[in-house]
Amino acid sequence: MSKLKIVYISSLGHSGSTLLDIMINQHSDIQSVGEIMFFDEWVKNNNKCTCRKLINECLFWTCVIPRCFNGLGSIKDSSYLDNSYKLFKEIKDLTGKTIILDSSK
């Protein structure tokens, strides 16, 4: 496993962490992924992305999901560490950004 640079915003709810996430994401080397701890739920329920499209219609996530999942909601690897690493690595490779920002609480 190669090293990945991941920044976590850890805070209480309703404390401004979403605003901080949006501001930090403006940096050219940073890719925000929102509260990625809910990723499985987003995929399973086909939630809306911040681009306002459904996950299965979003250009970003439709590139990431097939690389990390066998099918919608079916994780390829069994360990949480492997799944998280693969997800962050695919996002890094897809975006070319050097830092991934996760604002999970």
Side-chain angles (χ1 to χ4, degrees), residues 8-66:
Y8 291 97
I9 296 176
S10 179
S11 67
L12 297 173
H14 305 286
S15 64
S17 58
T18 300
L19 180 58
L20 179 62
D21 180 288
I22 291 167
M23 291 189 310
I24 293 173
N25 190 49
Q26 299 305 306
H27 192 283
S28 60
D29 291 335
I30 297 174
Q31 177 61 53
S32 172
V33 293
E35 295 184 25
I36 204 69
M37 67 186 233
F38 297 114
F39 182 72
D40 291 345
E41 184 179 317
W42 298 341
V43 173
K44 182 179 177 184
N45 297 328
N46 196 28
N47 289 5
K48 282 192 176 182
C49 177
T50 54
C51 72
R52 299 186 182 152
K53 294 184 179 181
L54 296 173
I55 291 287
N56 69 0
E57 297 173 353
C58 170
L59 295 176
F60 178 79
W61 291 115
T62 55
C63 290
V64 172
I65 291 170

